[in-house]
Amino acid sequence: MSQSVRPNVTRVKISALGTYVPPRLLTNADLEKMVDTTDQWIAERTGIRERHVVDKGTATSDLGVGAAKQALAQRGIAASDLDAIIVGTVTPDMLFPSTACLVQHKLGASGVWGFDVSAACSAFLYALQTGAQFVATGAHQKVLVVGADTMSSIIDYTDRATCIIFGDGAGAVILEPAEDESLGLIDFLHEVDGSGGCSLYMPGGGSLNPSTHETVDQKMHYVHQDGGAVFKYAVRKMAELCEKILDRNGFKGSDVDVFIPHQANKRIIMATAERLTMNPESVIINIDRFGNTTAATIPLAMQTAREEGKLKKGDLVLLASVGAGFTAGATLLRWAF
């Protein structure tokens, strides 16, 4: 469920960050013309004003490559310098090959191996800790972790309960050994609760319900959500994991310099921050501009924090997510650049 960094393993740091969103915007005003909703209704309940969506023919691997190229350029290394690529996504280009294979090929990352992690909105945190273990044990020196989703590909734009929420985007980080032991990843907590699977899921397309005319007609290839159940679980579990990881490392909410939560709903974010008595200025929120980009929300919010001058070397950073599954996670780190 969790693992603290131990003295006999290498401390791991995030050494670079890159993000990418498609240029096309879908605003609340646009959605008013598509479904029975209003800008005010969406903004009051979710905090979202607009989201980015891909044009036809653009896939999750394309978004991931865009973010990866930025991270590689920031670090000043070639794709072939990487040891592994881990892609967190719930909207792979196809069931196989993995999106990691497609990203590897498009980057020209010769000699690199990789795989996908499917954990919905928690996929970036799960992929981050998976990659960190390879570096911590000395197996690898440079691991690329990508969180990318093309949610518009699985959204029913006649369903106002879901179409107002999601957007498309990608973020990527590079993980390396930390020369300074005071910086880097400190601890993490992960948890899944499969009893919540019926509250947020896509029923069609897998081995249980393979694609047929019937599954398409029944709209089984779109996101299905029980918003109330998801909201209640997210509010409780995000705060619970954040409290636990802070407490076992000797910190309080007020010690956190930057809180970067999954951007699912502004009310969930603020409820967590208030329960932890965090400084409101430490809470990063960009859901108004991007919506819920699933695996991409946390790296996109990292970039927002950097742009706003709120994320500096040595800052104590808390990351948190809750997603379909149910999946949940929290990561504590000292920012390294």
Side-chain angles (χ1 to χ4, degrees):
M1 177 177 169
S2 62
Q3 178 175 319
S4 300
V5 174
R6 302 181 299 277
N8 61 329
V9 299
T10 300
R11 178 64 65 89
V12 182
K13 69 177 181 180
I14 294 173
S15 62
L17 168 68
T19 59
Y20 180 82
V21 292
R24 180 182 162 203
L25 280 177
L26 182 66
T27 68
N28 290 352
D30 295 326
L31 287 170
E32 287 179 344
K33 302 170 186 175
M34 300 165 62
V35 294
D36 181 18
T37 191
T38 65
D39 171 67
Q40 181 180 0
W41 191 91
I42 297 170
E44 287 178 352
R45 286 160 179 78
T46 67
I48 302 169
R49 295 287 184 182
E50 61 187 24
R51 68 288 291 149
H52 293 253
V53 295
V54 300
D55 289 320
K56 185 175 176 58
T58 299
T60 295
S61 64
D62 298 314
L63 303 183
V65 167
K69 285 182 175 178
Q70 278 200 11
L72 290 166
Q74 184 181 99
R75 184 63 182 86
I77 61 175
S80 57
D81 292 325
L82 299 170
D83 297 303
I85 298 172
I86 305 174
V87 177
T89 187
V90 76
T91 54
D93 289 23
M94 57 197 78
L95 286 177
F96 62 90
S98 70
T99 304
C101 286
L102 303 175
V103 169
Q104 176 272 330
H105 177 65
K106 292 177 180 181
L107 286 176
S110 59
V112 175
W113 76 292
F115 53 92
D116 291 356
V117 172
S118 178
C121 296
S122 299
F124 178 78
L125 287 192
Y126 284 23
L128 183 73
Q129 292 301 337
T130 302
Q133 305 314 307
F134 291 114
V135 178
T137 59
H140 293 323
Q141 292 296 302
K142 293 178 175 64
V143 175
L144 176 71
V145 174
V146 178
D149 272 300
T150 310
M151 293 303 295
S152 62
S153 68
I154 58 170
I155 294 300
D156 177 4
Y157 283 94
T158 67
D159 176 15
R160 72 172 185 174
T162 57
C163 73
I164 65 171
I165 298 170
F166 296 97
D168 303 335
V173 298
I174 297 173
L175 298 176
E176 298 186 68
E179 301 85 2
D180 185 343
E181 285 290 316
S182 68
L183 302 175
L185 304 182
I186 298 170
D187 196 6
F188 75 92
L189 275 171
H190 289 167
E191 184 177 325
V192 299
D193 180 358
S195 68
C198 57
S199 297
L200 182 53
Y201 66 111
M202 188 179 78
S207 59
L208 178 61
N209 297 300
S211 303
T212 64
H213 283 296
E214 183 180 12
T215 64
V216 173
D217 291 342
Q218 293 179 0
K219 297 187 175 183
M220 295 174 68
H221 300 272
Y222 293 128
V223 171
H224 292 242
Q225 175 174 271
D226 179 345
V230 174
F231 184 88
K232 290 176 184 177
Y233 180 84
V235 168
R236 176 177 64 83
K237 186 55 64 174
M238 186 178 287
E240 181 182 298
L241 291 185
C242 287
E243 281 184 326
K244 187 172 182 178
I245 197 171
L246 288 170
D247 182 65
R248 77 179 189 184
N249 286 279
F251 295 111
K252 304 184 297 294
S254 57
D255 295 321
V256 175
D257 296 306
V258 188
F259 178 44
I260 303 179
H262 168 56
Q263 307 286 308
N265 184 296
K266 186 176 180 179
R267 291 184 295 162
I268 294 173
I269 295 170
M270 295 313 300
T272 302
E274 289 169 9
R275 176 168 163 177
L276 296 171
T277 63
M278 289 181 174
N279 178 357
E281 287 297 307
S282 72
V283 183
I284 306 302
I285 299 176
N286 65 4
I287 191 173
D288 56 316
R289 290 180 285 142
F290 299 107
N292 181 350
T293 55
T294 307
T297 65
I298 288 178
L300 284 172
M302 286 178 176
Q303 182 61 30
T304 295
R306 295 197 72 205
E307 291 170 355
E308 294 178 351
K310 294 183 177 180
L311 189 55
K312 303 176 293 296
K313 186 175 182 177
D315 280 350
L316 183 66
V317 181
L318 178 62
L319 314 175
S321 66
V322 172
F326 287 127
T327 62
T331 292
L332 195 63
L333 68 143
R334 290 279 181 188
W335 195 253
F337 67 95

